[in-house]
Amino acid sequence: MTGAWRHLLRALHLKTFSLWTPKTCFSLNAGAFWTSVTRCGLHTKPSMPPCDFTPERYQSLAYSRVLEVHKQHLSPMHTAYFPEPLLLHQGHMEWLFDHEGNRYLDFFSGIVTVSVGHCHPKVNAAAQRQLGRLWHTSSVFFHPLIHEYAEKLSALLPEPLKVVFLVNSGSEANDLAMLMARAHSDSTDIISFRGAYHGCSPYTLGLTNVGIYKMDLPHGTGCQPTMCPDIFRGPWGGSHCRDSPVQTIRKCSCAPDCCQAKDQYIEQFKDTLSTSVAKSIAGFFAEPIQVQTGFGRLGSHFWGFQTHGVLPDIVTMAKGIGNGFPMAAVVTTPEIAKSLTKHLLHFNTFGGNPMACAIGSAVLEVIKEENLQENSQEVGTYMLLKLAKLRDEFEIVGDVRGKGLMIGIEMVKDKESHQPLPREEVNQIHHDCKCMGLLIGRGGLFSQTFRIAPSLCITKPEADFAVEVFRSALIQHMERRAK
């Protein structure tokens, strides 16, 4: 995110909200009973770092039966990666194993959700203890875990963000935040950035500004988009404007630490205020980076909004909060919390569930005890700088951006045009990475950006492997192009 973002918020003194909102081709032998598979025939196969974990033998549904059941009984929406989707069986820290025993380095973390590692021993132990003690109650009764967790979580946020509402998902958290903002302000209009994803519930569909999530039917009334400062693809900004160890290659006349593009983005935002919303608005949903940025992932700070020196009135969080367990939260001020109670008896059956609170507490402890925020800063910066060299080496790598262990690699036809690399070409690079044992994500308006967001426990040798795999996939792609 650019420095313009920070100045835009300060200049307008707006209320802000942050969102925390196939058969495999490569394997290393994970145990005596697993068979290595090398179907891709790649001429370059980076050596995968060792793993001292042996998964159990897969003994569930056959792959063909899984495909049949999915086709007959699950959502027809196509969301799976790869022509032959991975059938995952087991996970251990930064590693995943499929039904055939193939091992993968997971650099997408279940859509940026597994924050401290798959099946982390301490988180597992906390879940198992609570599983034998009490699975569920609700807010009509008390249990100590919800109070312990609320105290731990609120201690990590600045004053006056001290009132915690526990819910089950990021979409639900954003729904509740929208309701709070409207209840407190007695206004309706809410602004969010273009390109933002805030959920697919009826309310949050209005905040989500990505074309594939828009419907012909009415939804999310009272929400208006505004331009997101984008110094790679947007109209203003360049090589001195990014809050990141790696700057964009586009040149600008800004001096270091003095982004002139902020003035243009602020003027554009003022135009939104003058033309698209009522005189008084309920709030402004803003992500520090247009992905999940909480729980130490950015390295320099625990929460993404802290990197820009702003203080939101409401913070929503999900994803990494429970290391994959369904859990989310909204944290706000006492004043705003009281405004909600004047309009609504808010109740959540599963929010603050004993299992969720036990797991959430363990996640916070692991982040602190294992210095995972510091690891995110060190290993993330190390990997970001190495990936930036690939941008300089390959014409189709248009931009490398990020902070800590939140990295995006935007693929283009060429650096001059900035046109997105065609989807089928991005698909092939994505598939080649998987064939060499690396799982990464996808994003961007045209699915042209690779998302790299591993668990915070990864090491530099694993980062080296990921960079080597990505470079090999790019080389193979350029060779295919040449033919």
Side-chain angles (χ1 to χ4, degrees), residues 270-290:
K270 287 179 179 179
D271 183 68
T272 300
L273 293 175
S274 300
T275 61
S276 303
V277 294
K279 184 176 180 180
S280 177
I281 67 172
F284 175 26
F285 266 72
E287 300 164 297
I289 301 175
Q290 284 194 315

Side-chain angles (χ1 to χ4, degrees), residues 86-308:
L86 278 178
L87 176 57
L88 295 175
H89 166 50
Q90 202 163 351
H92 173 72
M93 300 303 286
E94 58 269 52
W95 302 103
L96 286 171
F97 302 84
D98 72 6
H99 71 295
E100 293 182 323
N102 302 310
R103 176 161 63 100
Y104 302 90
L105 182 60
D106 181 11
F107 263 44
F108 197 32
S109 307
I111 314 183
V112 203
T113 299
V114 181
S115 51
V116 300
H118 294 281
C119 301
H120 188 286
K122 180 162 185 169
V123 180
N124 274 7
Q128 289 164 356
R129 282 194 304 271
Q130 194 57 38
L131 194 63
R133 188 174 294 156
L134 181 67
W135 284 28
H136 175 74
T137 182
S138 65
S139 58
V140 297
F141 303 109
F142 285 179
H143 66 88
L145 287 172
I146 192 171
H147 300 85
E148 291 172 7
Y149 183 71
E151 192 170 46
K152 284 182 182 178
L153 184 63
S154 62
L156 294 168
L157 287 140
E159 292 284 356
L161 295 168
K162 296 298 175 182
V163 183
V164 179
F165 292 75
L166 293 171
V167 293
N168 306 293
S169 73
S171 294
E172 188 178 4
N174 288 333
D175 264 343
L176 180 56
M178 293 174 75
L179 199 60
M180 285 180 177
R182 286 168 170 164
H184 184 67
S185 66
D186 290 321
S187 298
T188 300
D189 284 343
I190 295 178
I191 298 172
S192 61
F193 283 134
R194 294 176 192 167
Y197 177 85
H198 292 292
C200 270
S201 64
Y203 250 24
T204 59
L205 275 174
L207 294 178
T208 294
N209 295 308
V210 180
I212 59 173
Y213 297 108
K214 291 299 184 182
M215 293 181 64
D216 296 331
L217 304 174
H219 63 274
T221 58
C223 299
Q224 298 293 339
T226 194
M227 182 184 292
C228 180
D230 181 350
I231 53 109
F232 175 67
R233 193 170 289 282
W236 306 297
S239 55
H240 292 298
C241 300
R242 180 171 281 164
D243 177 27
S244 170
V246 173
Q247 297 293 333
T248 187
I249 59 174
R250 187 169 75 178
K251 301 301 180 183
C252 67
S253 58
C254 304
D257 301 319
C258 183
C259 176
Q260 297 175 10
K262 69 180 185 295
D263 297 324
Q264 286 93 336
Y265 284 111
I266 288 172
E267 287 304 312
Q268 191 282 327
F269 189 83
K270 287 179 179 179
D271 183 68
T272 300
L273 293 175
S274 300
T275 61
S276 303
V277 294
K279 184 176 180 180
S280 177
I281 67 172
F284 175 26
F285 266 72
E287 300 164 297
I289 301 175
Q290 284 194 315
V291 275
Q292 302 78 18
T293 60
F295 298 95
R297 178 161 290 281
L298 297 190
S300 60
H301 297 78
F302 200 82
W303 307 111
F305 67 82
Q306 294 171 319
T307 67
H308 294 287

Side-chain angles (χ1 to χ4, degrees), residues 208-466:
T208 294
N209 295 308
V210 180
I212 59 173
Y213 297 108
K214 291 299 184 182
M215 293 181 64
D216 296 331
L217 304 174
H219 63 274
T221 58
C223 299
Q224 298 293 339
T226 194
M227 182 184 292
C228 180
D230 181 350
I231 53 109
F232 175 67
R233 193 170 289 282
W236 306 297
S239 55
H240 292 298
C241 300
R242 180 171 281 164
D243 177 27
S244 170
V246 173
Q247 297 293 333
T248 187
I249 59 174
R250 187 169 75 178
K251 301 301 180 183
C252 67
S253 58
C254 304
D257 301 319
C258 183
C259 176
Q260 297 175 10
K262 69 180 185 295
D263 297 324
Q264 286 93 336
Y265 284 111
I266 288 172
E267 287 304 312
Q268 191 282 327
F269 189 83
K270 287 179 179 179
D271 183 68
T272 300
L273 293 175
S274 300
T275 61
S276 303
V277 294
K279 184 176 180 180
S280 177
I281 67 172
F284 175 26
F285 266 72
E287 300 164 297
I289 301 175
Q290 284 194 315
V291 275
Q292 302 78 18
T293 60
F295 298 95
R297 178 161 290 281
L298 297 190
S300 60
H301 297 78
F302 200 82
W303 307 111
F305 67 82
Q306 294 171 319
T307 67
H308 294 287
V310 298
L311 180 63
D313 297 296
I314 303 174
V315 177
T316 65
M317 58 191 77
K319 297 291 186 182
I321 191 173
N323 205 46
F325 194 86
M327 185 180 186
V330 181
V331 184
T332 189
T333 68
E335 183 183 10
I336 294 174
K338 288 176 183 176
S339 294
L340 180 66
T341 64
K342 294 176 183 177
H343 290 79
L344 174 71
L345 176 59
H346 179 263
F347 180 80
N348 189 298
T349 300
F350 293 102
N353 173 281
M355 288 293 296
C357 291
I359 290 169
S361 286
V363 168
L364 293 180
E365 291 169 8
V366 169
I367 292 172
K368 181 178 180 180
E369 292 169 2
E370 299 184 6
N371 299 313
L372 294 188
Q373 181 181 333
E374 292 79 3
N375 190 66
S376 182
Q377 173 79 349
E378 182 179 353
V379 178
T381 302
Y382 172 80
M383 181 164 56
L384 184 63
L385 293 172
K386 296 196 74 167
L387 289 169
K389 293 180 180 178
L390 299 185
R391 179 199 60 192
D392 300 335
E393 183 178 353
F394 294 92
E395 180 68 11
I396 60 172
V397 180
D399 193 32
V400 173
R401 52 183 175 263
K403 288 191 72 174
L405 290 174
M406 175 59 64
I407 298 172
I409 305 173
E410 185 163 349
M411 310 302 295
V412 295
K413 289 182 179 179
D414 58 78
K415 288 185 172 68
E416 184 176 354
S417 71
H418 283 196
Q419 289 296 308
L421 191 67
R423 185 184 294 260
E424 59 271 18
E425 296 187 45
V426 181
N427 289 347
Q428 187 61 62
I429 295 170
H430 196 199
H431 184 264
D432 287 346
C433 287
K434 186 264 292 184
C435 285
M436 289 182 277
L438 176 69
L439 301 181
I440 55 180
R442 296 279 286 278
L445 295 179
F446 309 100
S447 194
Q448 83 282 21
T449 300
F450 289 114
R451 297 173 65 186
I452 296 182
S455 298
L456 308 187
C457 57
I458 68 154
T459 65
K460 287 183 178 179
E462 290 158 357
D464 287 335
F465 171 73

